[in-house]
Short mmCIF file of all heavy atoms in Angstrom, two decimals:
data_model
loop_
_atom_site.label_atom_id
_atom_site.label_comp_id
_atom_site.label_asym_id
_atom_site.label_seq_id
_atom_site.Cartn_x
_atom_site.Cartn_y
_atom_site.Cartn_z
N THR B 1 0.82 -1.21 0.00
CA THR B 1 0.00 0.00 0.00
C THR B 1 0.86 1.26 0.00
O THR B 1 0.62 2.19 -0.78
CB THR B 1 -0.95 0.00 1.20
OG1 THR B 1 -1.81 -1.14 1.13
CG2 THR B 1 -1.78 1.27 1.23
N THR B 2 1.86 1.31 0.86
CA THR B 2 2.72 2.49 0.93
C THR B 2 3.45 2.72 -0.38
O THR B 2 3.56 3.87 -0.85
CB THR B 2 3.73 2.34 2.08
OG1 THR B 2 3.04 2.11 3.31
CG2 THR B 2 4.59 3.59 2.21
N LEU B 3 3.93 1.64 -0.99
CA LEU B 3 4.66 1.77 -2.25
C LEU B 3 3.75 2.27 -3.36
O LEU B 3 4.17 3.07 -4.20
CB LEU B 3 5.28 0.42 -2.63
CG LEU B 3 6.16 -0.25 -1.58
CD1 LEU B 3 6.74 -1.54 -2.12
CD2 LEU B 3 7.27 0.69 -1.14
N ARG B 4 2.51 1.80 -3.37
CA ARG B 4 1.57 2.26 -4.39
C ARG B 4 1.22 3.73 -4.20
O ARG B 4 1.09 4.48 -5.18
CB ARG B 4 0.30 1.40 -4.35
CG ARG B 4 -0.70 1.74 -5.42
CD ARG B 4 -1.83 0.75 -5.50
NE ARG B 4 -2.63 0.75 -4.28
CZ ARG B 4 -2.68 -0.26 -3.42
NH1 ARG B 4 -1.97 -1.35 -3.64
NH2 ARG B 4 -3.43 -0.20 -2.34
N ILE B 5 1.10 4.17 -2.96
CA ILE B 5 0.73 5.56 -2.69
C ILE B 5 1.82 6.52 -3.19
O ILE B 5 1.51 7.57 -3.77
CB ILE B 5 0.46 5.76 -1.18
CG1 ILE B 5 -0.83 5.04 -0.79
CG2 ILE B 5 0.36 7.25 -0.83
CD1 ILE B 5 -1.10 5.06 0.70
N VAL B 6 3.09 6.18 -2.97
CA VAL B 6 4.16 7.11 -3.33
C VAL B 6 4.53 7.04 -4.82
O VAL B 6 5.16 7.96 -5.33
CB VAL B 6 5.42 6.84 -2.49
CG1 VAL B 6 5.14 7.05 -1.02
CG2 VAL B 6 5.98 5.44 -2.74
N SER B 7 4.14 5.97 -5.51
CA SER B 7 4.56 5.83 -6.91
C SER B 7 3.46 6.15 -7.92
O SER B 7 3.76 6.55 -9.05
CB SER B 7 5.09 4.41 -7.16
OG SER B 7 4.09 3.44 -6.87
N ARG B 8 2.21 5.97 -7.57
CA ARG B 8 1.14 6.23 -8.53
C ARG B 8 1.05 7.70 -8.97
O ARG B 8 0.76 7.96 -10.14
CB ARG B 8 -0.22 5.78 -7.96
CG ARG B 8 -0.44 4.28 -8.00
CD ARG B 8 -1.87 3.93 -7.64
NE ARG B 8 -2.79 4.38 -8.68
CZ ARG B 8 -3.13 3.65 -9.73
NH1 ARG B 8 -2.62 2.44 -9.90
NH2 ARG B 8 -4.00 4.11 -10.60
N PRO B 9 1.27 8.69 -8.08
CA PRO B 9 1.17 10.09 -8.55
C PRO B 9 2.11 10.43 -9.69
O PRO B 9 1.80 11.32 -10.48
CB PRO B 9 1.48 10.90 -7.28
CG PRO B 9 1.11 10.02 -6.15
CD PRO B 9 1.45 8.64 -6.61
N VAL B 10 3.26 9.78 -9.78
CA VAL B 10 4.21 10.07 -10.86
C VAL B 10 4.20 8.98 -11.92
O VAL B 10 5.05 8.98 -12.82
CB VAL B 10 5.63 10.26 -10.29
CG1 VAL B 10 5.71 11.51 -9.45
CG2 VAL B 10 6.07 9.04 -9.49
N GLY B 11 3.26 8.05 -11.86
CA GLY B 11 3.09 7.05 -12.91
C GLY B 11 4.14 5.97 -12.96
O GLY B 11 4.38 5.40 -14.04
N THR B 12 4.77 5.63 -11.83
CA THR B 12 5.82 4.60 -11.84
C THR B 12 5.43 3.34 -11.09
O THR B 12 6.28 2.47 -10.88
CB THR B 12 7.11 5.17 -11.23
OG1 THR B 12 6.85 5.64 -9.89
CG2 THR B 12 7.66 6.31 -12.07
N TRP B 13 4.17 3.21 -10.67
CA TRP B 13 3.73 2.00 -9.98
C TRP B 13 3.82 0.82 -10.93
O TRP B 13 3.17 0.79 -11.97
CB TRP B 13 2.31 2.17 -9.46
CG TRP B 13 1.66 0.97 -8.89
CD1 TRP B 13 0.49 0.40 -9.31
CD2 TRP B 13 2.11 0.18 -7.78
NE1 TRP B 13 0.17 -0.68 -8.54
CE2 TRP B 13 1.16 -0.85 -7.58
CE3 TRP B 13 3.22 0.25 -6.93
CZ2 TRP B 13 1.29 -1.80 -6.57
CZ3 TRP B 13 3.35 -0.71 -5.92
CH2 TRP B 13 2.40 -1.70 -5.76
N PRO B 14 4.65 -0.20 -10.65
CA PRO B 14 4.92 -1.27 -11.63
C PRO B 14 3.72 -2.14 -11.96
O PRO B 14 3.70 -2.75 -13.03
CB PRO B 14 6.03 -2.09 -10.95
CG PRO B 14 6.65 -1.17 -9.96
CD PRO B 14 5.53 -0.31 -9.47
N LEU B 15 2.72 -2.23 -11.08
CA LEU B 15 1.58 -3.11 -11.32
C LEU B 15 0.39 -2.38 -11.92
O LEU B 15 -0.72 -2.90 -11.92
CB LEU B 15 1.17 -3.79 -10.01
CG LEU B 15 2.22 -4.71 -9.39
CD1 LEU B 15 1.71 -5.30 -8.08
CD2 LEU B 15 2.62 -5.82 -10.35
N GLN B 16 0.62 -1.18 -12.45
CA GLN B 16 -0.46 -0.43 -13.08
C GLN B 16 -0.61 -0.84 -14.55
O GLN B 16 0.21 -1.56 -15.11
CB GLN B 16 -0.13 1.07 -13.02
CG GLN B 16 1.07 1.44 -13.89
CD GLN B 16 1.46 2.89 -13.74
OE1 GLN B 16 0.72 3.70 -13.23
NE2 GLN B 16 2.66 3.22 -14.22
N THR B 17 -1.67 -0.37 -15.17
CA THR B 17 -1.82 -0.51 -16.61
C THR B 17 -1.10 0.66 -17.28
O THR B 17 -1.40 1.82 -17.00
CB THR B 17 -3.31 -0.50 -17.00
OG1 THR B 17 -3.99 -1.56 -16.32
CG2 THR B 17 -3.47 -0.67 -18.50
N TYR B 18 -0.16 0.35 -18.13
CA TYR B 18 0.65 1.40 -18.76
C TYR B 18 -0.13 1.99 -19.93
O TYR B 18 0.03 1.61 -21.08
CB TYR B 18 1.99 0.83 -19.22
CG TYR B 18 2.97 0.64 -18.07
CD1 TYR B 18 2.84 -0.43 -17.20
CD2 TYR B 18 3.97 1.56 -17.83
CE1 TYR B 18 3.70 -0.60 -16.14
CE2 TYR B 18 4.86 1.41 -16.78
CZ TYR B 18 4.71 0.33 -15.93
OH TYR B 18 5.57 0.18 -14.87
N ASN B 19 -0.99 2.95 -19.60
CA ASN B 19 -1.85 3.57 -20.59
C ASN B 19 -1.58 5.07 -20.64
O ASN B 19 -0.60 5.57 -20.08
CB ASN B 19 -3.32 3.29 -20.26
CG ASN B 19 -3.66 3.66 -18.82
OD1 ASN B 19 -2.94 4.41 -18.16
ND2 ASN B 19 -4.77 3.13 -18.32
N PHE B 20 -2.46 5.80 -21.29
CA PHE B 20 -2.28 7.24 -21.46
C PHE B 20 -2.34 7.96 -20.13
O PHE B 20 -1.60 8.93 -19.90
CB PHE B 20 -3.36 7.78 -22.40
CG PHE B 20 -3.32 9.28 -22.56
CD1 PHE B 20 -2.38 9.89 -23.38
CD2 PHE B 20 -4.23 10.08 -21.88
CE1 PHE B 20 -2.35 11.27 -23.52
CE2 PHE B 20 -4.21 11.46 -22.01
CZ PHE B 20 -3.26 12.04 -22.84
N SER B 21 -3.22 7.51 -19.23
CA SER B 21 -3.37 8.19 -17.93
C SER B 21 -2.09 8.13 -17.11
O SER B 21 -1.64 9.15 -16.57
CB SER B 21 -4.53 7.55 -17.16
OG SER B 21 -4.65 8.13 -15.87
N SER B 22 -1.49 6.94 -17.02
CA SER B 22 -0.25 6.82 -16.26
C SER B 22 0.89 7.58 -16.92
O SER B 22 1.72 8.19 -16.25
CB SER B 22 0.12 5.35 -16.09
OG SER B 22 0.33 4.74 -17.36
N GLY B 23 0.93 7.56 -18.25
CA GLY B 23 1.96 8.31 -18.95
C GLY B 23 1.79 9.81 -18.78
O GLY B 23 2.78 10.55 -18.70
N LEU B 24 0.53 10.27 -18.70
CA LEU B 24 0.28 11.70 -18.49
C LEU B 24 0.76 12.14 -17.11
O LEU B 24 1.33 13.23 -16.97
CB LEU B 24 -1.21 11.98 -18.65
CG LEU B 24 -1.64 13.45 -18.50
CD1 LEU B 24 -0.99 14.32 -19.56
CD2 LEU B 24 -3.16 13.57 -18.57
N ARG B 25 0.56 11.31 -16.09
CA ARG B 25 1.05 11.66 -14.76
C ARG B 25 2.56 11.78 -14.74
O ARG B 25 3.12 12.69 -14.11
CB ARG B 25 0.58 10.60 -13.74
CG ARG B 25 -0.92 10.58 -13.53
CD ARG B 25 -1.27 9.83 -12.26
NE ARG B 25 -0.81 8.44 -12.29
CZ ARG B 25 -1.52 7.43 -12.75
NH1 ARG B 25 -2.73 7.64 -13.24
NH2 ARG B 25 -1.04 6.20 -12.73
N THR B 26 3.23 10.87 -15.41
CA THR B 26 4.69 10.95 -15.49
C THR B 26 5.13 12.20 -16.23
O THR B 26 6.07 12.89 -15.80
CB THR B 26 5.25 9.70 -16.19
OG1 THR B 26 4.83 8.53 -15.50
CG2 THR B 26 6.77 9.74 -16.24
N ALA B 27 4.47 12.51 -17.34
CA ALA B 27 4.84 13.69 -18.13
C ALA B 27 4.63 14.97 -17.32
O ALA B 27 5.46 15.88 -17.35
CB ALA B 27 4.02 13.73 -19.42
N ILE B 28 3.52 15.05 -16.58
CA ILE B 28 3.25 16.25 -15.77
C ILE B 28 4.32 16.40 -14.69
O ILE B 28 4.83 17.51 -14.45
CB ILE B 28 1.85 16.17 -15.16
CG1 ILE B 28 0.78 16.28 -16.25
CG2 ILE B 28 1.65 17.26 -14.11
CD1 ILE B 28 -0.64 16.09 -15.74
N ALA B 29 4.69 15.30 -14.04
CA ALA B 29 5.71 15.37 -12.99
C ALA B 29 7.05 15.83 -13.56
O ALA B 29 7.72 16.69 -12.97
CB ALA B 29 5.86 14.01 -12.32
N ILE B 30 7.43 15.31 -14.71
CA ILE B 30 8.72 15.70 -15.32
C ILE B 30 8.68 17.16 -15.76
O ILE B 30 9.66 17.90 -15.59
CB ILE B 30 9.05 14.76 -16.49
CG1 ILE B 30 9.36 13.35 -15.95
CG2 ILE B 30 10.24 15.29 -17.28
CD1 ILE B 30 9.64 12.34 -17.03
N VAL B 31 7.56 17.60 -16.34
CA VAL B 31 7.44 19.00 -16.76
C VAL B 31 7.56 19.94 -15.56
O VAL B 31 8.24 20.97 -15.61
CB VAL B 31 6.11 19.22 -17.51
CG1 VAL B 31 5.84 20.71 -17.69
CG2 VAL B 31 6.15 18.54 -18.87
N LEU B 32 6.91 19.60 -14.45
CA LEU B 32 7.00 20.43 -13.25
C LEU B 32 8.42 20.48 -12.71
O LEU B 32 8.91 21.54 -12.29
CB LEU B 32 6.05 19.90 -12.17
CG LEU B 32 4.55 20.06 -12.44
CD1 LEU B 32 3.73 19.40 -11.34
CD2 LEU B 32 4.17 21.53 -12.56
N LEU B 33 9.10 19.35 -12.73
CA LEU B 33 10.49 19.32 -12.25
C LEU B 33 11.41 20.13 -13.15
O LEU B 33 12.28 20.88 -12.67
CB LEU B 33 10.97 17.87 -12.17
CG LEU B 33 10.31 17.00 -11.10
CD1 LEU B 33 10.70 15.54 -11.29
CD2 LEU B 33 10.69 17.48 -9.72
N VAL B 34 11.23 20.01 -14.45
CA VAL B 34 12.05 20.79 -15.39
C VAL B 34 11.76 22.28 -15.24
O VAL B 34 12.68 23.12 -15.28
CB VAL B 34 11.80 20.32 -16.83
CG1 VAL B 34 12.50 21.24 -17.83
CG2 VAL B 34 12.29 18.89 -17.02
N LEU B 35 10.49 22.63 -15.03
CA LEU B 35 10.13 24.04 -14.81
C LEU B 35 10.80 24.58 -13.55
O LEU B 35 11.33 25.71 -13.56
CB LEU B 35 8.62 24.16 -14.70
CG LEU B 35 8.06 25.57 -14.39
CD1 LEU B 35 8.42 26.54 -15.51
CD2 LEU B 35 6.56 25.51 -14.18
N MET B 36 10.80 23.81 -12.50
CA MET B 36 11.45 24.24 -11.27
C MET B 36 12.95 24.45 -11.48
O MET B 36 13.53 25.46 -11.04
CB MET B 36 11.22 23.21 -10.17
CG MET B 36 11.84 23.56 -8.83
SD MET B 36 11.86 22.16 -7.69
CE MET B 36 13.02 21.07 -8.54
N MET B 37 13.61 23.52 -12.17
CA MET B 37 15.04 23.67 -12.41
C MET B 37 15.34 24.87 -13.30
O MET B 37 16.35 25.56 -13.12
CB MET B 37 15.59 22.38 -13.04
CG MET B 37 15.60 21.20 -12.09
SD MET B 37 16.46 19.76 -12.77
CE MET B 37 15.31 19.28 -14.07
N LEU B 38 14.46 25.14 -14.26
CA LEU B 38 14.65 26.30 -15.14
C LEU B 38 14.54 27.60 -14.35
O LEU B 38 15.35 28.53 -14.55
CB LEU B 38 13.61 26.26 -16.26
CG LEU B 38 13.69 27.38 -17.30
CD1 LEU B 38 15.03 27.35 -18.02
CD2 LEU B 38 12.55 27.28 -18.30
N ILE B 39 13.58 27.67 -13.44
CA ILE B 39 13.42 28.87 -12.61
C ILE B 39 14.66 29.09 -11.75
O ILE B 39 15.17 30.22 -11.63
CB ILE B 39 12.17 28.73 -11.73
CG1 ILE B 39 10.90 28.78 -12.59
CG2 ILE B 39 12.11 29.84 -10.68
CD1 ILE B 39 9.63 28.50 -11.82
N VAL B 40 15.18 28.03 -11.17
CA VAL B 40 16.35 28.14 -10.31
C VAL B 40 17.58 28.58 -11.12
O VAL B 40 18.36 29.43 -10.67
CB VAL B 40 16.61 26.81 -9.59
CG1 VAL B 40 17.93 26.84 -8.86
CG2 VAL B 40 15.48 26.51 -8.61
N GLN B 41 17.74 28.04 -12.32
CA GLN B 41 18.88 28.42 -13.14
C GLN B 41 18.81 29.88 -13.56
O GLN B 41 19.82 30.60 -13.56
CB GLN B 41 18.95 27.52 -14.37
CG GLN B 41 19.41 26.11 -14.06
CD GLN B 41 19.44 25.23 -15.29
OE1 GLN B 41 18.72 25.46 -16.26
NE2 GLN B 41 20.27 24.21 -15.27
N VAL B 42 17.62 30.34 -13.92
CA VAL B 42 17.46 31.75 -14.28
C VAL B 42 17.75 32.64 -13.08
O VAL B 42 18.39 33.69 -13.21
CB VAL B 42 16.04 31.99 -14.84
CG1 VAL B 42 15.80 33.49 -15.03
CG2 VAL B 42 15.84 31.25 -16.14
#
């Protein structure tokens, strides 16, 4: 349960269905992280 809670928001839960929804969560997480790094660099 704990592992599923921490991994599903970023789409890395290994027992999920690898569909558009899980890929979208991963893409959103990566975009937010890249945005944060860009702000810090500027």
Side-chain angles (χ1 to χ4, degrees):
T1 299
T2 304
L3 306 182
R4 183 170 65 248
I5 290 174
V6 298
S7 59
R8 283 190 68 90
V10 293
T12 57
W13 172 238
L15 297 179
Q16 67 185 345
T17 302
Y18 283 77
N19 52 18
F20 176 78
S21 176
S22 61
L24 181 62
R25 293 197 300 270
T26 303
I28 292 175
I30 292 178
V31 168
L32 291 176
L33 292 170
V34 172
L35 177 62
M36 180 193 67
M37 291 188 291
L38 182 61
I39 292 173
V40 172
Q41 287 179 334
V42 172

